[in-house]
Amino acid sequence: QVHGIVRRSSSFNTGRIEHLYKNPQAHIEGNMKLHYGDLTDSTCLVKIINEVKPTEIYNLGAQSHVKISFDLAEYTADVDGVGTLRLLDAIKTCGLINSVKFYQASTSELFGKVQEIPQKETTPFYPRSPYGAAKLYAYWIVVNFREAYNLFAVNGILFNHESPRRGANFVTRKISRSVAKIHLGQLDCFSLGNLDAKRDWGHARDYVEAMWLMLQTEEPEDFVIATGEVHSVREFVEKSFKHIGKTIVWDGKNEKEVGRCKETGKVHVTVNLKYYRPTEVDFLQGDCTKAREKLNWKPRVTFDELVREMVDADVELMRNNPNA
């Protein structure tokens, strides 16, 4: 049985799980049920947890866009930081400390201005955004509840994990959607921010398996989940275009730089300073040695496979629904 919390909205906000509604196996005897709730509302969290009495809780809820967290700093702190405390307090209030296993979605953004390369569980944190700072509070409050109340609670410090379900305003999905539209003749050009930001990108499917594995261990521990490979935004652009048969060459510098199609001479990519963050995280590279050794986990999907899957999915999406 899987229970989820969904925020009330005037428009449908369950698009990423629509495929589960269409799968009768997910609904046998109510195997999947959604409850209205919000991480800013402690009363509803207590009510839901008391009603469901779960054995595992995965806190994946957050305002998770780093750039937007600078504009919505207080809200981000409330949901990402204090929201985690509300969930932990709800477990305690419901008397489930000894029966629940709790997973907290921590983030590589905790490392921010990196203090060592690669980053592992013992690397000092240095967040560079309201998002990272809020997640830092959440990380330590999870550790505190684990040590104070003997709650089985873990932090999964996951590096960037992507898939065709990624939100459209995140850079990888923005690239794959835009490249798909250019391929179908629906778009000529799109803008990005820092092309030289480097990230450790993996596939969400692999990383969700790691989340589950963390809750199947005997003792609660925190784990870094990453591929150990680093690729730039620029490289993600190049590989996405290569998949549709276009070679991107770069002209100019800084905000004047453009990505031009070698075959046609058309400019398909420009740089816009509005997409830069006030404080940038330039380089993230994870070391998942502990997860390999203790969870027997390793990433299966390669960077090239991830890019191809995202572009193919968006070509299909845009072909069937150009206004998506």
Side-chain angles (χ1 to χ4, degrees), residues 2 13 15 17 30 33 42 59 62 82 86 100 124 143 163 178 191-192 199 213 231 250-251 277 289 294 302:
V2 176
N13 56 359
I17 55 173
K33 183 176 180 182
S42 56
N59 180 25
V82 184
R86 291 188 185 102
V100 167
V143 173
S163 86
S178 299
S191 298
L192 295 171
R199 292 293 184 270
L213 285 170
H231 302 274
W250 303 96
D251 295 324
R277 304 171 184 175
T289 301
K294 293 199 171 187
T302 67

Side-chain angles (χ1 to χ4, degrees), residues 8 22 24 45 71 83 95 138 142 166 183 197 199 201 233 240 247 252 255 262 270 274 299 308 316-317 319:
R8 195 272 162 192
K22 296 170 186 172
L45 297 178
D71 301 317
V142 167
R166 185 56 127 162
H183 178 61
R199 292 293 184 270
W201 273 306
V233 173
S240 296
T247 307
E255 70 270 21
K262 184 179 179 182
T270 61
K274 78 175 183 179
R308 288 198 298 269
E316 188 69 19
L317 176 68
R319 182 178 284 127

Side-chain angles (χ1 to χ4, degrees), residues 146 152-156 214 217 219-223 290 294:
R146 181 168 70 213
F152 192 112
V154 304
N155 286 290
M214 285 179 219
T217 59
E219 296 293 328
E221 293 185 73
D222 304 325
F223 289 91
K290 181 180 175 182
K294 293 199 171 187

Side-chain angles (χ1 to χ4, degrees), residues 140-182:
W140 283 116
I141 203 65
V142 167
V143 173
N144 184 249
F145 266 68
R146 181 168 70 213
E147 295 177 353
Y149 305 113
N150 204 28
L151 172 67
F152 192 112
V154 304
N155 286 290
I157 307 172
L158 271 56
F159 281 64
N160 292 60
H161 40 291
E162 314 294 325
S163 86
R165 293 180 199 159
R166 185 56 127 162
N169 60 348
F170 287 80
V171 67
T172 52
R173 187 76 196 290
K174 183 177 182 180
I175 293 168
S176 64
R177 279 167 60 97
S178 299
V179 168
K181 286 188 169 189
I182 288 169

Side-chain angles (χ1 to χ4, degrees), residues 28-55:
I28 294 173
E29 297 175 3
N31 278 348
M32 187 181 80
K33 183 176 180 182
L34 295 181
H35 306 259
Y36 282 113
D38 199 295
L39 284 169
T40 63
D41 184 345
S42 56
T43 304
C44 79
L45 297 178
V46 170
K47 179 168 146 291
I48 294 166
I49 289 173
N50 191 52
E51 177 190 333
V52 173
K53 292 187 169 52
T55 53

